[in-house]
Amino acid sequence: MRLQKEPVCSPIRVPWTLLCLITGTVITTYAQAGTPTAELLQDDFAGMRFGLIFDVVGAHTEYHYLREAAPQGNWAVSAFKSDGSQRAWRLLEEDGTRVMHQSHDNRESFTHPMLVAGDPLWQNYRVTVDFAPAADKAQSGIVFRYRNSRCYYFFGVQGQKAILKMVRHETAFHKPHEVVLAEKACSWTPGRYLTAQVDVDGDRIRARLSDGVVLEAEDKTYLQGRIALMSDVPTRYKNVAVLATPEEKERFTKRVAARARELAELQAAIPRPVLWKKVETGGFGVGRNLRFGALNNDGQIDILIGQMVHHGPKDSNSELSCLTAMTFDGKILWRIGQPDAWKNHLTNDVAFQIHDLDGDGRTEVIYCMNMKLIVADGATGKTKYETPTPQTPAGAKPPYDRFPRILGDSLFFCDLRGTGDARDIVIKTRYDHFWVLNDRLEPLWDAACNTGHYPFAYDIDGDGRDELAIGYSLYGPDGTRLWTLDGKMRDHADGVAIVRFAPGDPLRLLCAASDEGIFFTDMKGNVLKHHRLGHVQNPATADFRTDLPGLETVSINFWGNQGILHFYDAQGEVYHDCEPCQHGSMCLPINWTGRPPEYFVLSPNVEAGGLFDGWGRCVVRFPADGHPDMCYAVLDITGDCRDEIVLWDPHEIWVYTQSDNPRTGKLYKPIRNPLYNYSNYQATVSLPGWSQ
């Protein structure tokens, strides 16, 4: 078996020497080539609008693309928390000069307000910036050879000293791995500008402050990367410049050209997206709150649109307010509730699904509304039967104790009784309790645990009954808790799945565990691999790399360090990472060509999104035709085994198919999470399969 060589356009891992060999350039150093005079970046923030650089978008950008999160000018906000630091960066005017102001007083030890610019292929360069920290209580300065917002070099001041250090992820919960490469006492006055200058050449680093303090080190952890402004106290920045020698800039230009050629060759070999359907939804549309299924039993996929009301605070108590069933031709089949154009956003799950719950070959819509769990006819929306939702558990903490019965955080279907179909219902609170009911809505059992966001079921022992993985726990079909990591793992599970990653391998559980990073366990709860990579979520497992054995997994970071992609092989080891954007994504696998490998969708945006491969390369771009780019979903609608891409916002839904649709013959047809278990927090598993 031959392993694929890492692509030239990989933004972080191609060694400098290898790239020089690829491009036919001669390796030289600054000492050989002279002084950096060629401009890579010269930025006085001209052309950018004054005021806030990054508006408050918060949890919306976990699985929506919002233009408020897009870069401005050369810069993108690459790290924020929910404590107000997302509003940290503002462009001001000071004595007639444009100044970038980081206004947040940061007390986090693992996330730092950061504004990033540049190209990941930058290698040897000089960066200079003027900066004025308002206080000497924490660090302030500049980041260079930025790999992502958790992996970089930093130079600046920290207290009354100059410091040069390397930062890489964490060694324990919220404990960053930092190596101080050099430091020296220095006297400086808060509020006055300092000039930082850093030269990087191979593994040599020379950093200088305007008062004459010089720090030098040798380190080869990062040999290329972007720059960033970073401070934990309010700080003003101006006069940012990145220079290279003329020879180095020429080498960089050749690397960029090689990357562009590689992407062009990849994209030319893959079908392009073409518009298949367009549907208007003004007044009753939503954000990422659609469900898909054959509602009117004509064999065609239909759409169920759920508007919701937030009883607050924020998304802690949410429920459906309106359901609209429609076809992809725009015909409204039925509606429950009154549509409201203002109830079109969400930052959580809401309990509704499409499923043939009773196994009669006709779908039902199962949903929660007004503290009732309701089963309705899929074709008409008429209620077939209902029951009150479970009572709010005694001791529920505010604000989740606001209602006497739960509103229903989400719905999940599995086969715990061994009926042969997924006819058992799991309904849960936001974080701490869940109930199991049968298809007649009769309670079977319940349990309290750290539920995380969405469960996953698998018949582990082959007895015809599912086991239930929920949060950090595994339950047997009768409600016996088989094991739990509650108390050992903090935060909560953002996505969990049970997967056989390679033929013949034992089953393993993967858990994208928010601030705990990502970990893999065996079926007894023993942690086999644990990667502390920040706030990891939305994992997807598929055959993303045909040159590697088994299945690969991709995950994305959000809170604190949004947009970092990590790629894991079948053994759970990280084989690649990159940061193509500064927002979240569902990272949904897509069978676009009808043969492996699969790709995944990052976002529908023309500039920042597209279909990405197992190296983090954008292999398919969306057309610049005015399509909505807030939300997307992936499913086979036209029936040729390959997936269509559904794009939407509150106003309209567009569907793209392949330019060579339809295709015939034997095609790749992966086995995925069923549409009746659809969630904004699902861990997507796409297992290999083929059409007959």
Side-chain angles (χ1 to χ4, degrees):
M1 177 179 58
R2 182 176 62 86
L3 297 185
Q4 179 180 319
K5 181 178 70 176
E6 187 149 359
V8 176
C9 74
S10 166
I12 53 175
R13 290 224 175 177
V14 181
W16 176 37
T17 53
L18 176 59
L19 278 166
C20 290
L21 290 173
I22 292 171
T23 57
T25 57
V26 178
I27 302 172
T28 58
T29 65
Y30 278 164
Q32 294 171 308
T35 303
T37 57
E39 180 181 308
L40 296 178
L41 175 70
Q42 192 84 35
D43 203 327
D44 59 1
F45 312 116
M48 296 177 63
R49 66 175 183 265
F50 287 106
L52 192 65
I53 300 303
F54 181 55
D55 203 355
V56 176
V57 292
H60 287 290
T61 47
E62 287 187 83
Y63 32 75
H64 297 87
Y65 176 83
L66 297 181
R67 297 177 186 180
E68 295 89 334
Q72 290 193 38
N74 294 312
W75 302 91
V77 175
S78 67
F80 71 82
K81 292 288 285 184
S82 57
D83 56 4
S85 58
Q86 67 265 41
R87 299 186 69 116
W89 297 95
R90 297 172 183 273
L91 185 60
L92 312 175
E93 188 173 78
E94 179 184 76
D95 300 327
T97 300
R98 287 171 172 257
V99 172
M100 189 63 69
H101 184 218
Q102 195 291 100
S103 60
H104 184 62
D105 190 0
N106 183 50
R107 296 305 178 195
E108 297 284 356
S109 61
F110 68 105
T111 296
H112 311 282
M114 203 176 298
L115 200 63
V116 63
D119 194 298
L121 292 181
W122 284 355
Q123 289 183 351
N124 300 318
Y125 53 82
R126 169 180 291 171
V127 54
T128 59
V129 64
D130 297 333
F131 70 110
D136 61 358
K137 302 301 182 183
Q139 63 185 2
S140 179
I142 191 166
V143 164
F144 57 98
R145 282 187 173 168
Y146 169 108
R147 179 169 177 154
N148 57 56
S149 59
R150 298 174 56 81
C151 299
Y152 52 83
Y153 294 111
F154 170 83
F155 173 62
V157 292
Q158 185 170 323
Q160 288 295 311
K161 64 181 178 182
I163 188 168
L164 174 64
K165 62 185 177 181
M166 183 275 292
V167 179
R168 184 177 67 242
H169 288 306
E170 296 173 9
T171 56
F173 191 80
H174 288 182
K175 290 188 67 176
H177 177 70
E178 296 186 352
V179 177
V180 175
L181 302 176
E183 60 181 353
K184 186 178 293 185
C186 69
S187 178
W188 59 279
T189 302
R192 294 187 178 180
Y193 278 97
L194 298 164
T195 298
Q197 176 182 293
V198 178
D199 287 278
V200 284
D201 176 21
D203 64 354
R204 298 193 298 277
I205 305 170
R206 189 175 192 270
R208 175 187 176 93
L209 277 180
S210 52
D211 62 359
V213 173
V214 176
L215 301 179
E216 294 183 304
E218 292 186 3
D219 190 87
K220 57 182 180 181
T221 305
Y222 311 120
L223 295 178
Q224 61 190 49
R226 297 183 281 177
I227 66 157
L229 313 178
M230 188 187 84
S231 63
D232 287 330
V233 295
T235 301
R236 291 165 289 155
Y237 290 89
K238 62 182 181 181
N239 301 328
V240 182
V242 182
L243 303 176
T245 65
E247 295 82 359
E248 175 63 22
K249 183 171 182 179
E250 182 180 358
R251 289 191 289 271
F252 165 68
T253 301
K254 290 181 177 179
R255 293 194 296 271
V256 171
R259 178 176 62 188
R261 285 194 302 272
E262 184 179 44
L263 286 176
E265 291 172 1
L266 289 167
Q267 293 168 2
I270 299 170
R272 69 184 186 279
V274 295
L275 183 63
W276 180 66
K277 295 282 186 180
K278 184 189 297 189
V279 180
E280 299 293 329
T281 59
F284 61 93
V286 290
R288 204 175 191 288
N289 214 26
L290 300 188
R291 301 293 187 268
F292 305 96
L295 288 170
N296 59 0
N297 305 295
D298 63 356
Q300 302 298 314
I301 297 292
D302 302 307
I303 314 166
L304 187 61
I305 302 173
Q307 290 189 322
M308 75 300 302
V309 58
H310 299 301
H311 297 292
K314 295 183 178 179
D315 57 12
S316 56
N317 293 288
S318 303
E319 65 175 341
L320 285 171
S321 60
C322 180
L323 282 173
T324 301
M326 66 185 305
T327 69
F328 272 106
D329 290 322
K331 178 184 178 182
I332 294 179
L333 301 174
W334 50 264
R335 175 173 287 146
I336 297 170
Q338 294 298 318
D340 185 336
W342 294 100
K343 295 177 179 176
N344 58 16
H345 282 71
L346 80 162
T347 55
N348 57 316
D349 269 344
V350 182
F352 73 113
Q353 303 284 11
I354 303 172
H355 183 33
D356 180 8
L357 184 60
D358 56 16
D360 67 352
R362 300 172 61 86
T363 58
E364 283 77 42
V365 170
I366 304 94
Y367 66 100
C368 289
M369 189 180 286
N370 299 321
M371 289 182 285
K372 294 179 181 179
L373 177 59
I374 301 166
V375 177
D377 179 72
T380 66
K382 293 181 179 179
T383 298
K384 297 176 71 173
Y385 50 99
E386 64 182 45
T387 190
T389 58
Q391 290 184 338
T392 299
K397 297 179 180 179
Y400 304 106
D401 61 348
R402 181 172 177 179
F403 295 90
R405 294 185 177 274
I406 70 167
L407 301 182
D409 177 73
S410 60
L411 295 174
F412 178 84
F413 300 94
C414 54
D415 184 10
L416 299 176
R417 291 175 292 154
T419 64
D421 294 302
R423 297 173 65 174
D424 300 316
I425 307 169
V426 179
I427 184 172
K428 61 186 282 291
T429 63
R430 188 85 164 117
Y431 290 116
D432 57 16
H433 208 104
F434 70 97
W435 293 258
V436 176
L437 296 80
N438 64 21
D439 51 337
R440 297 304 304 172
L441 309 186
E442 298 164 336
L444 299 177
W445 52 271
D446 67 287
C449 69
N450 182 346
T451 63
H453 281 307
Y454 204 65
F456 193 94
Y458 197 104
D459 181 8
I460 295 170
D461 55 13
D463 68 349
R465 300 187 299 165
D466 287 334
E467 280 71 38
L468 184 69
I470 183 165
Y472 298 142
S473 303
L474 182 69
Y475 287 84
D478 61 355
T480 302
R481 190 165 70 179
L482 303 177
W483 53 263
T484 185
L485 298 178
D486 285 355
K488 297 180 181 178
M489 298 293 178
R490 286 168 280 191
D491 213 323
H492 60 264
D494 261 326
V496 61
I498 297 172
V499 184
R500 196 180 309 279
F501 287 91
D505 282 2
L507 291 169
R508 279 183 288 155
L509 179 143
L510 75 87
C511 181
S514 302
D515 285 350
E516 281 282 3
I518 189 168
F519 64 84
F520 299 80
T521 78
D522 62 18
M523 292 298 95
K524 295 183 179 179
N526 299 307
V527 177
L528 305 174
K529 301 281 174 62
H530 192 171
H531 302 290
R532 297 189 181 277
L533 306 171
H535 190 104
V536 178
Q537 59 186 56
N538 292 344
T541 297
D543 188 3
F544 294 122
R545 289 269 306 274
T546 54
D547 63 313
L548 291 179
L551 303 176
E552 293 74 46
T553 300
V554 62
S555 68
I556 194 165
N557 282 36
F558 195 68
W559 295 107
N561 306 97
Q562 68 277 12
I564 307 173
L565 293 172
H566 285 92
F567 299 83
Y568 315 84
D569 62 22
Q571 301 306 311
E573 297 289 357
V574 177
Y575 71 80
H576 185 64
D577 63 86
C578 57
E579 189 187 273
C581 66
Q582 276 72 40
H583 53 78
S585 170
M586 287 291 295
C587 295
L588 294 178
I590 182 165
N591 175 29
W592 187 249
T593 65
R595 62 184 183 273
E598 291 196 67
Y599 309 127
F600 67 93
V601 185
L602 187 64
S603 83
N605 184 255
V606 174
E607 290 89 6
L611 278 58
F612 284 65
D613 69 3
W615 283 111
R617 303 174 295 187
C618 182
V619 296
V620 177
R621 292 282 188 192
F622 286 101
D625 55 4
H627 64 262
D629 59 5
M630 176 183 282
C631 314
Y632 78 90
V634 169
L635 66 158
D636 177 17
I637 302 174
T638 64
D640 76 343
C641 297
R642 298 182 299 170
D643 292 315
E644 277 65 49
I645 312 170
V646 184
L647 310 181
W648 74 94
D649 61 18
H651 309 291
E652 54 186 353
I653 299 171
W654 292 32
V655 184
Y656 287 97
T657 190
Q658 298 85 1
S659 55
D660 62 351
N661 181 285
R663 283 192 63 185
T664 58
K666 186 176 181 179
L667 296 174
Y668 196 61
K669 188 178 181 180
I671 303 165
R672 301 231 182 93
N673 311 50
L675 289 176
Y676 56 71
N677 283 336
Y678 207 66
S679 166
N680 290 321
Y681 300 103
Q682 68 188 48
T684 307
V685 178
S686 188
L687 302 176
W690 293 86
S691 64
Q692 297 300 317

